[in-house]
Each structure stands twice: as C-alpha cells, then as structure tokens.
Amino acid sequence: MMPLSRWLRSVGVFLLPVPCWVPLERWLCPLRRPSLVYRGSVLGAWHSGRCWCQAWTEEPRMNGDQKLDVYDQAKEKFLQHFPQIVKVLTEDDMKCPDTGDAVARLREVLEYNAIGGKYQRGLTVLVTLQALVEPRELDADSLQRALTVGWCVELLQAFFLVSDDIMDASLTRRGKSCWYRKPGIGLDAVNDAVLLEACIYRLLKFYCREQPYYLNLIELFLQTCYQTEIGQTLDLITAPQGHVDLSRFTEKRYKSIVKYKTAFYSFYLPVAAAMYMAGIDGEKEHSSAKKILLEIGEFFQVQDDYLDLFGDPSVTGKIGTDIQDNKCSWLVVQCLLRASPVQQQILQENYGQKEAEKVAQVKALYEDMDLPAVFAQYEQDSYNRLVALIEQCASSLPPAIFLRLAQKIYKRKK
C-alpha cells in the first residue's frame, strides 16, 4: 500500500514537495503569503493548502526519534546563543566591586537552571517566526532577537521551576538535584528565582527596545507571568498541604489549573511572541492561535501528569511526587470519576501521604482501574481532536506551526 505522505504528494500540484513551489512563490511575489494579510480567498486557500501539505507530508515525529525536524535543526543555533545571553546579563556588572560577587552568583544560577531541558518553549519562538516571515527578512539581527526572546521564555520557565520545586519539595529536576537542594542554597533559591525573572526584562530591553513590538512583548510576558502565578495559586489552594479533600478534584478545577499554570506560558507565549515579532498583532489571529494552543497545553499537562507516575525517571529526569503532594492531577481526577465506593475509600486513605507503601497503594489502584489504557485512548483522541481544531481555526496562520507542536509532544516519553 502506498504511504499516505507519498499519496498526498501525488494527487496534484498543490501537494508537491516544497522545492517545487519555489518558482511559483517567486512569480506570485507580493501575494506570497496572502492568508496572513487576507488578500483574496483563492490565494489564501492556496497558502493554507500548501501549509497543510507541508505539515501532513511530514510524518509525526515520535519524540524526535526520526530524522531531524525543524526544532532539532534550530537547537544548535539556540544553544550557541546561550553564552551570549549570560555575557549580556553578567559581563559588565561582574566588574563592579559592589555587586561582582552577586552577579557571579547570578551566572551560576543561570548556568544551572536554564540549561538541561528540552528547550521546546524557547525553540518555538524561532521556529514560529521562521514560518511567518520570508527567509530573506530574517537577517542576522532579527535572528539574534528571536533567539533572545526564545531564551527569555526559557528563563521564565526556569523561574517557575525553581519556585515550584521549593513549594512541592521536589527532589530532582532535569536529571539532577533541584537547585534549592544543593548544599548552601536552601531557601535562598527564592531570591535566585526572582533574579531569573528579572533577567527577562533586561534582555528584552537590551535587544528589542527599538523594535515596534517591544511594548507588546513586555505586556505579553507580564500577563503570562500573572496568568501562570494565578494557575499556581489555584493548584496550591486546591490541594493544601496536610489536608486531603478529594471532592475538590473536579474536571472543571483541573482544566482551570492546567490552562493558567501550564498552557499560557508553555504554548501561547512563545507563539504569540513570534507573531508580534512578525508584525501580526490582530485580535483575530491571536484569538485563533490561543484557542488552539490552550488545547495543546492541556494535552501536554495530561501527559505530564501521567509521566509523573508512570514515566521512567531516567528518561523524564525527575522523580514524580504528585501523589505525595496531594496534587489535583489528571490521574486522580480520572480515578474519582470511575471509582467505586471501596476504591474511593482506598484513595482517601492513601492519597496525599508521604509513605512509600501508601504511594504504592494509589499506583496499584490506578493500574487496577486500567488508567494507563484510559490515558492511551485519551492521547490518541486528543491528538485527533487537535488536528481537527487546527484545520478549523488556523486559516489565518500557517497550520504547520500548530501541527508541529502537536506532533512534537504526541506520545512523548519525557
């Protein structure tokens, strides 16, 4: 049987591989990206069809195990830019006798906490901008700014993770000890987290102050930070330490926590930042992007909750503690939706407890209820639903932006 990707490429000129489009794009010249500027439905449909072709003729990448995708291709440039980020944030101040040792501490904080992740959030800024503008418009300075904004997203992530690890009393992060658990750090990590956040606005000012989208980026990061902190507040007050109230773990509350704590900063922030940098600031475009990206964010967090318990710590890089921490996770919500009175009693007696045997009881309960199979079905259904949503809502933007994100996280193991 002919593979789907080959069949799609064979059915007509609109589905030819990318190189075949180059002469036609040059010929169309000013109407090259009509769907972004709303120039006529025919050409807009042409561009959307072309983007769908590019996305669909690329088979889903299962956690980057296949050939290099655009994220893998961008990663080398992204990592090479990090020393420049550290230099801008520390070099001049290191020479100041009053603050030199504090800035040396900042350098250590940056190098320990900003490095070692998947960099998907930061890379999304660069990959999205490359999808929205012509290659010739992305000159060296524009590329530097895109890389920097990507690192600003990663620094925001580092700020949240350092803080979250303290609140959750986590043990490991990205395959090493949490920052606050390092000898001599402790609760001083609270101040280190605040320093990481402050670095974002220093970088935006240094690289983007003269750009027309500077204010939009500042407001986007401030709003996203607030939304995420509201999400963290919902998470904390839903599951206070030392008090287990399973009646609070509803699907509605879970979705609210996920939307604010994870989806805005993990998915909407990097794409919206790239859109502003590409000159796309219309409410319609951002509303469409947000609708898709918040759904992707929920999908991502459900995966995270599953991997917290059923993932391999040597792969995920962290030891899950959602059960011990009394978290309103997807697993406990699904358990409560399906549990018999006897199973609810087992959960009530063991959830939110630190003892290893009680954690094991909860895990055994989840397995008895076949929650791994429930998750597998959820993952497949969610991916299919996302593809349909992208087809419905992404007409004003290249669908490949969203499809790549969905494909990047589909069936991930970490």
Side-chain angles (χ1 to χ4, degrees):
M1 181 179 293
M2 181 183 293
L4 174 62
S5 58
R6 189 181 303 168
W7 180 84
L8 285 171
R9 288 191 178 107
S10 71
V11 295
V13 65
F14 283 100
L15 300 181
L16 289 172
V18 175
C20 300
W21 282 95
V22 174
L24 183 56
E25 285 197 357
R26 289 175 181 162
W27 176 67
L28 286 169
C29 199
L31 298 177
R32 185 175 291 107
R33 296 228 163 184
S35 66
L36 293 182
V37 291
Y38 302 101
R39 305 279 179 105
S41 59
V42 174
L43 288 173
W46 164 78
H47 174 64
S48 294
R50 171 177 169 269
C51 290
W52 271 99
C53 168
Q54 288 177 243
W56 276 114
T57 55
E58 295 174 2
E59 297 298 331
R61 315 277 193 238
M62 302 307 180
N63 314 305
D65 293 336
Q66 300 179 24
K67 64 183 180 181
L68 290 178
D69 64 10
V70 290
Y71 280 81
D72 297 318
Q73 294 166 13
K75 190 172 181 178
E76 183 178 359
K77 286 181 183 177
F78 191 70
L79 291 175
Q80 287 174 348
H81 191 59
F82 182 68
Q84 179 65 21
I85 293 293
V86 175
K87 181 179 179 181
V88 167
L89 290 171
T90 63
E91 187 174 61
D92 290 342
D93 292 339
M94 286 277 282
K95 301 171 185 175
C96 176
D98 293 335
T99 61
D101 52 349
V103 177
R105 166 64 170 252
L106 170 59
R107 185 186 188 98
E108 184 184 0
V109 171
L110 288 166
E111 292 176 343
Y112 192 92
N113 294 290
I115 295 295
K118 298 183 289 290
Y119 309 111
Q120 183 169 300
R121 295 167 181 83
L123 288 169
T124 296
V125 178
L126 179 60
V127 169
T128 302
L129 187 60
Q130 289 173 329
L132 292 174
V133 302
E134 292 299 327
R136 67 172 181 270
E137 296 173 14
L138 198 61
D139 58 21
D141 289 340
S142 298
L143 179 62
Q144 286 267 306
R145 287 190 289 269
L147 290 167
T148 298
V149 173
W151 275 110
C152 287
V153 176
E154 289 295 319
L155 292 180
L156 187 67
Q157 158 86 336
F159 161 52
F160 292 146
L161 294 184
V162 171
S163 305
D164 196 56
D165 286 344
I166 297 169
M167 287 180 267
D168 290 347
S170 297
L171 302 176
T172 59
R173 173 71 65 180
R174 294 171 175 170
K176 56 188 180 183
S177 178
C178 294
W179 174 248
Y180 81 95
R181 297 186 72 245
K182 281 178 62 66
I185 303 297
L187 290 181
D188 291 355
V190 174
N191 188 68
D192 296 330
V194 175
L195 276 175
L196 288 167
E197 184 195 19
C199 287
I200 296 167
Y201 302 101
R202 294 186 65 210
L203 287 170
L204 290 176
K205 181 178 179 182
F206 185 88
Y207 280 93
C208 303
R209 178 172 43 185
E210 304 301 323
Q211 300 305 311
Y213 50 75
Y214 176 56
L215 181 59
N216 282 331
L217 288 184
I218 293 291
E219 290 182 341
L220 176 64
F221 273 90
L222 288 171
Q223 177 68 6
T224 303
C225 193
Y226 172 73
Q227 288 165 328
T228 307
E229 288 159 359
I230 285 293
Q232 178 73 351
T233 302
L234 286 172
D235 191 19
L236 293 171
I237 64 177
T238 302
Q241 291 186 3
H243 179 66
V244 179
D245 182 358
L246 298 178
S247 68
R248 298 170 70 92
F249 295 169
T250 64
E251 276 194 302
K252 182 179 179 181
R253 173 50 64 98
Y254 177 76
K255 286 177 177 290
S256 296
I257 293 171
V258 168
K259 175 181 176 180
Y260 285 92
K261 184 179 177 180
T262 300
F264 276 112
Y265 95 89
S266 295
F267 292 94
Y268 178 65
L269 169 63
V271 173
M275 289 170 65
Y276 283 130
M277 296 179 79
I280 302 171
D281 56 6
E283 183 178 343
K284 179 180 178 181
E285 294 95 327
H286 279 265
S287 178
S288 295
K290 187 182 296 183
K291 184 174 183 178
I292 298 168
L293 294 162
L294 294 184
E295 285 292 323
I296 295 177
E298 181 176 324
F299 179 33
F300 177 86
Q301 186 58 53
V302 171
Q303 291 175 313
D304 232 34
D305 290 354
Y306 179 80
L307 293 172
D308 181 87
L309 183 60
F310 292 106
D312 181 350
S314 68
V315 176
T316 63
K318 59 184 178 181
I319 299 170
T321 59
D322 281 358
I323 293 173
Q324 298 94 311
D325 295 337
N326 188 31
K327 289 292 183 181
C328 180
S329 83
W330 182 84
L331 287 167
V332 73
V333 170
Q334 296 304 310
C335 177
L336 287 167
L337 288 173
R338 295 165 169 78
S340 67
V342 172
Q343 291 170 324
Q344 287 187 26
Q345 186 61 35
I346 293 172
L347 193 64
Q348 183 69 55
E349 292 171 355
N350 294 281
Y351 201 76
Q353 309 298 319
K354 304 295 183 184
E355 295 88 341
E357 60 272 16
K358 294 195 174 186
V359 174
Q361 285 262 43
V362 175
K363 184 175 183 179
L365 175 61
Y366 290 168
E367 289 171 336
D368 289 344
M369 298 178 72
D370 211 13
L371 290 191
V374 174
F375 168 77
Q377 187 62 53
Y378 165 87
E379 186 171 42
Q380 185 61 59
D381 292 346
S382 294
Y383 181 78
N384 294 339
R385 189 168 59 250
L386 277 173
V387 170
L389 182 64
I390 292 166
E391 184 176 10
Q392 174 189 345
C393 298
S395 59
S396 60
L397 294 164
I401 292 171
F402 309 103
L403 285 167
R404 284 169 181 155
L405 279 171
Q407 291 169 356
K408 192 72 179 171
I409 64 174
Y410 178 55
K411 292 191 180 298
R412 68 188 179 96
K413 301 300 180 186
K414 63 177 181 178

